Amino acid sequence: MNNKTISSTAPIIKEEQDQRHLQQATIYRILLAVSFVHLFNDSIQALIPAMFPILKDNMLLSYAQVGWIAFALNITSSVIQPVIGYAADRTPRPILLPLGMCCTFAGVFLLAFAGNYALVIFSVILVGFGSAAFHPEGMRVAHMAAGQRKGLSQSIFQVGGNAGQSLGPLLMKWVFIPFGQMGALGFTVIAAAGIAVQTYVAKWYRKMLNEGYTFRKKSAARTIDPARSKSILTATIILVFLVFVRSWYGASIGGYYAFYLMKNYGMTIDDAQIYIFMYLAAGAVGTFFGGPLADRFGRRNLILLSMVGTVPFALALPFVNQAFALVLLVISGFILLSSFSVTVIYAQMLYPGNIGTVSGLITGLAFGLGGIGSVVIGELIDRIGITTVFVACGFLPLLGLLALLLPGDKKLEEWAAE
């Protein structure tokens, strides 16, 4: 190799070394910061279904109208996420992190004073937009701060969100029962704290970008085999559908099971919320352990087992006494949501480098479609009764058998490595 060749390749080698240095360190303070904001964001989202019994009584709403509130939240917080994620993958926008939380602040403030159904819907839409702005960029920050520990970073990031979701029932018990709708005003403090943390994270994010961090590996242009492209598209459709089904079943528990407990067991609102909390808290624990379990048993296997393994508990749930129902809820919550972070990692391996788009697709669009499930469930409860609906919902996790059609881990790793 002559001196000219050495001279021309030196900057490339230096750039690759710099990239490796930037991407190898695991920045725990940023991971924890973005996880806490995920907790803030999702706990604020969780307050909306927690308010359903209060709103239903205050405004004399039907179950279908309650479902439309859930739909407004999910459709705005989720369906536009792939669009934001796609844009962020092309042009990162750290400013969206604090701006999104500002939107959430405005939505929560208005919700506390909403005196009619239309204003409730508008307030919920603002909260949804704030969440949509946070998730794709938050996912990219978690990926950036992970270094070589991508699985751990996903578990830390996602457990923050699921822990926030699990707080919804406690919010009902400790905030909305004693203070009513005005209790939402207290969550402006959480939103304000989120703005402060997001500003700190956004500054670090911008600094990393300025130092040359990139999510995409530079490589020569290549043509992807059409057969593989078709297989990746098929796997993506199956994965989104599975997350949709998981979200639909989760919507039945999180949004309506408290009503079921009150009707069939004569439970009070605050006691019923403890059951929902235990289900969601078990799901948060399952999310944390899902990554290590997938490392041991395989990502596809974990996705399959998390869905199919929930079936016997979901089918038995409407037919047991209230003490055993709590046991079934805890077990099914842990099993079902153990695949939460795994589905995201699986999708990231299908589309390496497109972190924001994948986040929007899996944690966004699929959950937005799950919001449609809330509307359908509400309509069905009005028409055929809540008991019949919960018996039918018990069959939903059976659709997890479609995970057998997903490519195995070995094939997935081959695709991601090329």
Side-chain angles (χ1 to χ4, degrees), residues 116-316:
N116 57 67
Y117 186 64
L119 190 53
V120 168
I121 294 290
F122 178 70
S123 303
V124 164
I125 287 173
L126 285 177
V127 174
F129 278 133
S131 181
F134 163 72
H135 278 95
E137 288 288 18
M139 183 78 73
R140 285 163 60 84
V141 168
H143 188 276
M144 178 184 285
Q148 299 301 311
R149 311 193 69 178
K150 305 301 183 189
L152 175 65
S153 76
Q154 264 316 304
S155 291
I156 292 174
F157 179 73
Q158 298 294 355
V159 79
N162 282 3
Q165 287 287 339
S166 72
L167 294 176
L170 297 184
L171 302 180
M172 180 66 192
K173 181 179 177 66
W174 294 336
V175 177
F176 296 116
I177 290 177
F179 300 107
Q181 190 174 333
M182 284 296 293
L185 195 62
F187 290 87
T188 57
V189 177
I190 295 177
I195 293 170
V197 177
Q198 289 289 62
T199 301
Y200 168 75
V201 171
K203 288 180 179 178
W204 176 84
Y205 185 6
R206 173 56 63 191
K207 178 176 178 288
M208 289 290 287
L209 293 174
N210 291 340
E211 290 178 358
Y213 185 98
T214 178
F215 291 92
R216 294 176 178 271
K217 295 179 180 179
K218 294 185 177 181
S219 59
R222 60 187 175 88
T223 302
I224 299 178
D225 178 33
R228 180 189 299 182
S229 296
K230 184 177 179 181
S231 297
I232 291 174
L233 178 60
T234 301
T236 303
I237 293 171
I238 294 171
L239 199 63
V240 169
F241 181 74
L242 291 175
V243 177
F244 163 53
V245 171
R246 188 179 66 197
S247 301
W248 195 327
Y249 183 75
S252 72
I253 300 295
Y256 298 99
Y257 192 66
F259 294 113
Y260 178 88
L261 292 169
M262 293 160 62
K263 178 180 185 297
N264 288 359
Y265 300 124
M267 296 179 67
T268 61
I269 293 178
D270 53 340
D271 287 342
Q273 294 302 320
I274 294 297
Y275 279 61
I276 310 305
F277 166 73
M278 293 300 293
Y279 169 80
L280 295 172
V285 176
T287 297
F288 185 78
F289 285 102
L293 288 171
D295 289 339
R296 180 167 183 177
F297 300 107
R299 298 177 188 88
R300 184 185 66 175
N301 292 340
L302 196 282
I303 293 170
L304 173 65
L305 289 172
S306 73
M307 298 285 287
V308 177
T310 305
V311 172
F313 306 102
L315 290 176

Side-chain angles (χ1 to χ4, degrees), residues 59-76:
M59 300 183 184
L60 303 177
L61 304 179
S62 68
Y63 284 109
Q65 287 175 307
V66 170
W68 279 109
I69 297 173
F71 176 78
L73 174 67
N74 283 22
I75 210 73
T76 50

